[in-house]
Amino acid sequence: MSRLWDFIASGTGEIAGEFHGREASVRLAQLAGASIFGGALERLRGRSVLLAVRDQLAAALALVELDGVARRMVLCTPDLTLEQLEGVAQTAEAEAIVLDASGAAAAFAASPAGSITSIGVSPLPVPAEVDRGRAERTEWVLLTSGTTGTPKLVLHSLDSLGGALPTRAQGGERMVWSTFYDIRRYGGLQIFLRGVLSRSPLVLSSAGESLRDFLGRAAAARVTHISGTPSHWRRVLMSGDASMMDPDYVRSSGEVADQALLDNLRAAYPRARIAHAFASTEAGVAFDVSDGKAGFPRELLERGGDIELKVVDQTLRIRSRRNAARYLGAAAAALQSDDGFVDTGDMLELVDGRYFFRGRRGGVINVGGLKVYPEEVEAVLNADPRVRMSLVRAKKSPITGALVSAEVVLADAAIAAQGAEAEAVKSDLLAACRRSLAAHKVPALLRFVPSLSVTAAGKLVRPAG
């Protein structure tokens, strides 16, 4: 696959596409004879570069400019600590860092560990002499979304990231893409590439922006296709502002999409195609499902083609050209098995010809030797229309080793504050669990909370497995 610039600039010389940030918008045609690096872009040619800007618009422009220039670009998320950034730089053998603001990146650049070339970027392209004719084969390095320690560095190419994506709008339809994700994470990067490769506008979110303001910008830009995690979408549904948008396509990925979420999205966006997808930084995109049902049909494992799926020891394995090549680092573990499959670590259960995701292998709760998948219990709780989201976790027990504990956010916060009504709802939820689940899976403790913590990647914060 060629570099991004070759997709943006057509054979006729036309440069198409545009990025809409919180503070400004940039047509990619503005990069002809201009650069956010000024005259410093050539200093990055052939080097391993940490992309550590905070602003998503700057990050999007830098990705376009660095692909085909840098030997390797490492997509650093803005939530990295100084210690994490130092570890990433060492593993990636970084020779330069690109930054745009204060924070860990600036502290790193000023530290003895950061004695590498530092280049700042302007918020918008500035006139500069830029050589778009020369092209390096750039490695794309993404970070896993762990909450502690140095993230793993996952090596991709533009082909593994975007080679299977459409390079034009389907059927000539007007498409405007957007995502709640940060584009430096795998889920967000997929949407970024969809926008760039199809030469469509892309509306970027901002970490410091209120949900209402972002939805307003998306509506003003007439976004047609938008993605996020189930936790992102539950926040939208809870906000009361979901109707600000009227998209054609709504996509959920990154966490288990239960039936209640899919039904609620269908009710909020009756005109849209509602899909949920499975992808991971290491395995790439495996499939998306748009039949309105949670899980996926068993037939997907038998379809053949470029993406091969199998279930081994109840976990999903994937082999395709979208798989990453390897982890970086001298002591890094193998990313693929000997037969080329990536073990995703995501647990599956086959029920009536359909596979359902039950959570991560390391997230299983052990109750007296019996397994409990938190997401399975959450799906039952979330099915009640009075519940917006829930989190199930283990609570230590001297008898069974662990008990199932649930925290629940209600759609109507006032109910949680009213003793009798709250107890009635709690009783209903536990009764639903008893009807649907084995006894050891029923929460021993259930409490109402005003909110649940979400990671920078847009996923529920779960206890480390």
Side-chain angles (χ1 to χ4, degrees):
M1 188 177 187
S2 191
R3 56 183 172 162
L4 287 180
W5 185 256
D6 297 325
F7 285 91
I8 292 166
S10 70
T12 63
E14 178 193 2
I15 301 172
E18 56 194 81
F19 299 147
H20 298 284
R22 182 183 180 185
E23 303 294 339
S25 296
V26 174
R27 290 179 295 105
L28 296 185
Q30 293 174 242
L31 290 176
S35 171
I36 62 171
F37 296 94
L41 182 60
E42 283 299 315
R43 293 170 58 194
L44 299 174
R45 187 171 292 278
R47 308 180 88 175
S48 176
V49 180
L50 301 183
L51 176 57
V53 298
R54 298 184 66 82
D55 179 65
Q56 283 223 77
L57 178 58
L61 294 169
L63 290 174
V64 171
E65 295 207 63
L66 287 173
D67 183 45
V69 173
R71 170 176 64 88
R72 170 183 293 167
M73 56 180 178
V74 185
L75 281 60
C76 298
T77 52
D79 57 312
L80 292 181
T81 64
L82 175 59
E83 182 179 8
Q84 289 174 322
L85 197 54
E86 289 173 347
V88 168
Q90 182 177 4
T91 303
E93 301 175 338
E95 301 163 278
I97 183 170
V98 174
L99 65 163
D100 66 350
S102 60
F108 170 78
S111 71
S115 55
I116 59 178
T117 302
S118 299
I119 293 181
V121 293
S122 66
L124 299 171
V126 296
E129 190 172 320
V130 182
D131 182 2
R132 304 285 187 202
R134 299 169 58 195
E136 302 279 340
R137 194 169 187 84
T138 301
E139 297 176 338
W140 292 59
V141 178
L142 279 70
L143 311 184
T144 56
S145 55
T147 56
T148 59
T150 300
K152 292 180 181 179
L153 276 64
V154 184
L155 180 64
H156 273 280
S157 65
L158 182 57
D159 187 63
S160 66
L161 291 167
L165 297 176
T167 56
R168 60 179 59 86
Q170 298 174 354
E173 66 176 318
R174 174 187 171 275
M175 300 170 71
V176 180
W177 284 92
S178 187
T179 180
F180 294 94
Y181 278 109
D182 189 299
I183 61 170
R184 287 154 288 196
R185 302 186 188 278
Y186 187 88
L189 186 61
Q190 283 292 297
I191 302 307
F192 166 83
L193 291 172
R194 282 179 178 271
V196 171
L197 298 181
S198 64
R199 304 165 86 234
S200 303
L202 174 66
V203 177
L204 300 161
S205 59
S206 172
E209 184 175 26
S210 72
L211 178 61
R212 183 177 179 83
D213 286 348
F214 173 63
L215 293 176
R217 283 201 299 115
R222 295 194 298 159
V223 162
T224 61
H225 294 62
I226 183 166
S227 77
T229 66
S231 292
H232 283 137
W233 286 115
R234 290 187 178 104
R235 285 185 59 221
V236 172
L237 295 168
M238 289 172 63
S239 71
D241 295 323
S243 61
M244 294 177 69
M245 292 190 303
D246 184 25
D248 299 327
Y249 176 77
V250 169
R251 179 172 177 159
S252 177
S253 63
E255 297 176 296
V256 177
D258 58 42
Q259 194 62 52
L261 175 68
L262 298 174
D263 291 343
N264 288 332
L265 287 173
R266 166 60 56 213
Y269 303 112
R271 197 180 59 80
R273 182 161 70 95
I274 308 297
H276 57 102
F278 180 86
S280 74
T281 307
E282 291 91 344
V285 178
F287 54 81
D288 69 14
V289 181
S290 55
D291 61 5
K293 300 177 182 178
F296 64 93
R298 179 171 50 190
E299 289 73 31
L300 279 182
L301 270 66
E302 304 162 357
R303 67 182 177 184
D306 294 337
I307 301 175
E308 299 175 76
L309 310 176
K310 66 178 180 179
V311 178
V312 178
D313 297 330
Q314 293 183 280
T315 64
L316 179 64
R317 315 289 172 98
I318 303 170
R319 180 170 65 188
S320 80
R321 65 189 180 100
R322 299 187 186 190
N323 292 167
R326 59 186 173 90
Y327 292 117
L328 287 186
L335 186 144
Q336 302 177 6
S337 60
D338 292 341
D339 60 1
F341 279 85
V342 175
D343 180 358
T344 66
D346 287 277
M347 307 293 293
L348 294 172
E349 182 180 8
L350 183 62
V351 180
D352 296 331
R354 199 171 183 90
Y355 279 103
F356 292 87
F357 287 99
R358 296 309 190 201
R360 300 286 297 168
R361 181 167 47 216
V364 174
I365 301 171
N366 190 320
V367 179
L370 299 173
K371 293 180 180 179
V372 179
Y373 300 107
E375 286 87 343
E376 181 183 10
V377 182
E378 290 164 8
V380 176
L381 296 170
N382 293 342
D384 190 297
R386 294 166 294 187
V387 173
R388 274 301 179 220
M389 59 196 309
S390 61
L391 175 68
V392 169
R393 65 176 79 212
K395 181 176 177 59
K396 289 184 179 180
S397 166
I399 299 174
T400 61
L403 295 172
V404 178
S405 173
E407 296 175 344
V408 175
V409 179
L410 296 179
D412 184 352
I415 292 178
Q418 298 175 18
E421 191 168 1
E423 287 303 314
V425 174
K426 184 181 297 186
S427 178
D428 289 346
L429 293 175
L430 291 174
C433 289
R434 293 187 190 100
R435 288 193 300 271
S436 302
L437 303 168
H440 67 281
K441 299 179 181 181
V442 176
L445 301 167
L446 189 153
R447 67 189 184 99
F448 298 129
V449 295
S451 63
L452 290 168
S453 298
V454 175
T455 69
K459 302 178 184 181
L460 279 175
V461 175
R462 296 186 181 276

